[in-house]
Amino acid sequence: MAGISLTKVEETAPALVGPYKSAGVSLTKHGLSGQQAAVYLVVDYSGSMKPYYDDGSVQALADRVLGLSAHLDDDGTVPVVFFSTDVDAVTDIALDNHRGRIERIAAGLGHMGRTSYHLAMDAVIDHYLDSGSKAPALVVFQTDGGPINKLAAERYLCKAARLPLFWQFIGFGDPGSRQFEFLRKLDELAVPRKRVVDNAGFFHAGSDPRKVSDEELYDRLVAEFPRWLSAARAHGIVT
């Protein structure tokens, strides 16, 4: 059985007990109970993201991703990549230090740049390969808009389709914004013409992501993961 017990979560991160329980329900609903997976969080640190750092939306997402990870992995830690024009930081958030962790990291990053997906994707790939993990990985990739280099982002996603990594993109902001057209395109890239398996999903969390319930967020985060696991196993990407 993968993951961390409720008792351990109660002892180390009591504020995350509710999210942890909700995540367990969603995983069971989607046939993922007992599944082992590495979980990554990628967060946008571009200038337009400042309101979401200020109002705690990014911290709230990190906390909830940590609650999900506690079921899928047993180390109590989620690697976190902050990105803007470049990769701003590769660090982590853990059950025993999650409170205010995002704010503390962001305070040391300085200037908020533009949006460049592929460099963040490269950082995740490097971290995963260097970790030596044999488990599949669920990468929660948060952004509030399209990248400055769309071609590079598409190429990275297509090349990464041969790795045991599933990219779940989550948009912060107005769902009707044209900023998200590229993410819709990434979600729908042709298989197998563009990539060997469908290795990405996308959903909007809206202009106030904190209002999305734990139940809805977890359902959206893991809904496409089982289909990818089946396809990746069929192609020998996941063993």
Side-chain angles (χ1 to χ4, degrees), residues 35-87:
Q35 173 67 47
Q36 183 178 7
V39 178
Y40 285 82
L41 175 62
V42 181
V43 289
D44 190 339
Y45 190 67
S46 61
S48 55
M49 279 291 299
K50 189 175 188 302
Y52 297 110
Y53 283 90
D54 290 346
D55 71 8
S57 293
V58 181
Q59 178 70 57
L61 176 63
D63 285 343
R64 294 199 277 183
V65 170
L66 191 56
L68 174 64
S69 174
H71 286 278
L72 297 169
D73 203 353
D74 62 3
D75 66 358
T77 301
V78 172
V80 183
V81 175
F82 288 75
F83 77 98
S84 55
T85 311
D86 205 335
V87 172

Side-chain angles (χ1 to χ4, degrees), residues 93-178:
I93 183 169
L95 289 173
D96 60 3
N97 76 350
H98 74 97
R99 286 185 176 274
R101 174 70 172 152
I102 295 299
E103 181 180 345
R104 292 194 299 274
I105 297 166
L109 296 184
H111 178 70
M112 302 177 84
R114 298 175 70 190
T115 310
S116 189
Y117 291 3
H118 69 286
L119 297 175
M121 296 173 77
D122 192 43
V124 170
I125 291 167
D126 282 349
H127 189 287
Y128 178 81
L129 294 176
D130 289 345
S131 75
S133 175
K134 301 300 181 186
L138 172 61
V139 184
V140 179
F141 194 115
Q142 180 277 323
T143 184
D144 72 339
I148 54 178
N149 192 330
K150 294 180 174 65
L151 182 58
E154 181 177 320
R155 283 177 174 168
Y156 263 79
L157 185 71
C158 292
K159 287 184 177 181
R162 297 189 178 278
L163 296 172
L165 300 165
F166 182 77
W167 307 82
Q168 180 58 63
F169 292 92
I170 173 172
F172 281 15
D174 179 3
S177 170
R178 295 189 64 182

Side-chain angles (χ1 to χ4, degrees), residues 166-235:
F166 182 77
W167 307 82
Q168 180 58 63
F169 292 92
I170 173 172
F172 281 15
D174 179 3
S177 170
R178 295 189 64 182
Q179 282 288 332
F180 297 107
E181 289 178 359
F182 177 72
L183 282 168
R184 294 190 189 96
K185 177 184 175 184
L186 278 189
D187 190 18
E188 297 168 0
L189 286 175
V191 175
R193 185 170 61 86
K194 288 272 191 177
R195 48 187 174 159
V196 64
V197 294
D198 180 352
N199 63 331
F202 169 62
F203 74 93
H204 293 284
S207 298
D208 190 350
R210 295 167 302 171
K211 290 184 177 178
V212 178
S213 69
D214 289 344
E215 293 78 11
E216 180 183 354
L217 181 74
Y218 290 130
D219 275 347
R220 301 294 294 274
L221 286 179
V222 305
E224 295 189 46
F225 195 55
R227 293 197 296 273
W228 169 78
L229 279 172
S230 295
R233 286 182 180 126
H235 285 81

